[in-house]
């Protein structure tokens, strides 16, 4: 457990069965302290952005009660201002020798992945718009070809006054 808490890359939090924070590693403390209470009175749900808190807590409580590890995506409280900020929360339920359940959370930053996904989605939208514009231009070109062909045929038939012929010859 101590080795996990010393993880230099991911945030780690240990909570008891009531959701009270028992320990956090330096990575998580550097991100959230002092704005979020990470002490013994702090609550595990309080580290998550308000908008994501309900769903995230539900998944974590499910992991705790079923004793089945869960993984969810969420945002941290202070990072909620960045629309792409996200963490993958892996919840590992631990059963102590005395029968009490604890929950070990590992929070991995997936912000870069979210930004890349958003950029890819924007690129796909632009590509779709380009294909739509090309299709419209092609259809418009077909209409113009038909109009020009009809005008040319009318000019060849003759019998039109000079003013009408001038209108037909304009391109």
């Amino acid at each position: 457990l101590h080795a996990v808490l010393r993880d230099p890359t991911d945030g780690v939090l240990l909570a008891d069965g009531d959701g009270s924070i028992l320990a956090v590693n330096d990575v998580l403390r550097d991100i959230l302290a002092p704005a979020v209470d990470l002490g013994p009175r702090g609550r595990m749900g309080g580290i998550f952005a308000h908008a994501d808190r309900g769903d995230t807590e539900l998944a974590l409580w499910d992991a705790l009660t079923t004793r089945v590890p869960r993984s969810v995506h969420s945002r941290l409280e202070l990072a909620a201002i960045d629309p792409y900020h996200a963490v993958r929360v892996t919840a590992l339920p631990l059963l102590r020798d005395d029968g009490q359940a604890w929950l070990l959370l590992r929070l991995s930053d997936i912000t870069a992945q979210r930004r890349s996904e958003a950029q890819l989605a924007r690129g796909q939208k632009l590509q779709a718009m380009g294909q739509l514009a090309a299709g419209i231009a092609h259809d418009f070109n077909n209409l113009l070809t038909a109009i020009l062909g009809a005008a040319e045929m009318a000019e060849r038939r003759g019998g039109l006054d000079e003013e009408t012929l001038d209108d037909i010859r304009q391109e």
Side-chain angles (χ1 to χ4, degrees):
L1 186 59
H2 292 290
V4 172
L5 285 169
R6 285 192 299 264
D7 184 339
T9 56
D10 292 337
V12 179
L13 180 143
L14 181 65
D16 65 15
D18 294 327
S20 296
I21 296 173
L22 299 173
V24 296
N25 72 346
D26 290 338
V27 172
L28 194 57
R29 190 174 307 285
D30 289 345
I31 294 169
L32 295 174
V36 176
D37 184 5
L38 298 173
R41 291 183 323 252
R43 305 289 297 162
M44 123 181 112
I47 70 169
F48 300 106
H50 185 69
D52 297 352
R53 195 169 293 161
D55 291 339
T56 304
E57 282 186 320
L58 190 62
L60 299 179
W61 289 117
D62 184 55
L64 186 65
T65 57
T66 63
R67 309 278 198 277
V68 176
R70 294 282 311 260
S71 183
V72 296
H73 290 181
S74 189
R75 291 174 295 160
L76 296 178
E77 180 59 34
L78 295 180
I81 9 176
D82 180 353
Y84 301 111
H85 174 79
V87 290
R88 181 180 53 252
V89 183
T90 305
L92 179 64
L94 304 173
L95 192 58
R96 292 176 21 139
D97 291 338
D98 61 4
Q100 287 186 346
W102 284 0
L103 198 57
L104 181 67
L105 304 182
R106 175 174 236 130
L107 298 99
S108 306
D109 189 355
I110 58 170
T111 304
Q113 176 186 340
R114 283 282 171 99
R115 280 198 177 102
S116 295
E117 289 169 355
Q119 187 176 9
L120 177 63
R122 281 192 303 272
Q124 289 172 335
K125 284 180 188 177
L126 285 174
Q127 181 181 6
M129 286 175 37
Q131 288 173 341
L132 178 62
I136 291 170
H138 180 76
D139 291 346
F140 189 67
N141 187 43
N142 288 343
L143 287 171
L144 286 177
T145 301
I147 291 168
L148 289 173
E152 190 177 311
M153 288 176 58
E155 182 183 15
R156 284 186 190 161
R157 265 197 308 260
L160 300 172
D161 62 83
E162 198 57 39
E163 191 177 334
T164 303
L165 281 173
D166 284 345
D167 288 342
I168 288 175
R169 290 179 182 138
Q170 286 186 7
E171 292 185 18

